[in-house]
Amino acid sequence: MTLRTRRIVLEAALRPWFDAQVTAGRANEQRLAESAPPSDRRAAALAACAFDDPVVMRARAQVRLLRPAHDAYGTDEVDRHVTAWLTAHPDFSPQHDGPTRDQWDALIPG
């Protein structure tokens, strides 16, 4: 296999993952710049639910390591588990899991 062929194969394998990470990064950047928690309750629940549910945690690990989010979280099994978790946690609302941008700026001198 030539170096050019290897590069093409590698790019084809990594491009979907890279594009998904860029999209997620831009969404996080915008959300953090606005100092707003995620507005989508279900999307925010994925992280919280993962700490209680091994099926959702497995999907979360796959997103971090192997697969685009829509593939890992897009299964019927994950959907059922997140739905059950949200039903069991009716008061759940998206919130920051760390300092807001304003709090961060106050802590870290510019």
Side-chain angles (χ1 to χ4, degrees), residues 27-101:
N28 284 337
E29 178 183 28
Q30 179 180 2
R31 182 177 52 81
L32 292 171
E34 296 170 355
S35 293
S39 58
D40 182 347
R41 183 174 182 260
R42 188 171 189 83
L46 287 171
C49 176
F51 292 106
D52 293 337
D53 189 296
V55 169
V56 181
M57 179 55 85
R58 210 170 10 260
R60 182 179 168 95
Q62 289 175 356
V63 170
R64 300 278 183 200
L65 301 173
L66 306 169
R67 300 170 67 192
H70 65 274
D71 288 345
Y73 291 131
T75 68
D76 289 339
E77 182 181 32
V78 170
D79 183 61
R80 283 192 310 273
H81 283 251
V82 173
T83 299
W85 188 89
L86 283 168
T87 300
H89 299 85
D91 295 333
F92 173 77
S93 64
Q95 34 182 293
H96 288 286
D97 59 354
T100 65
R101 182 63 188 208

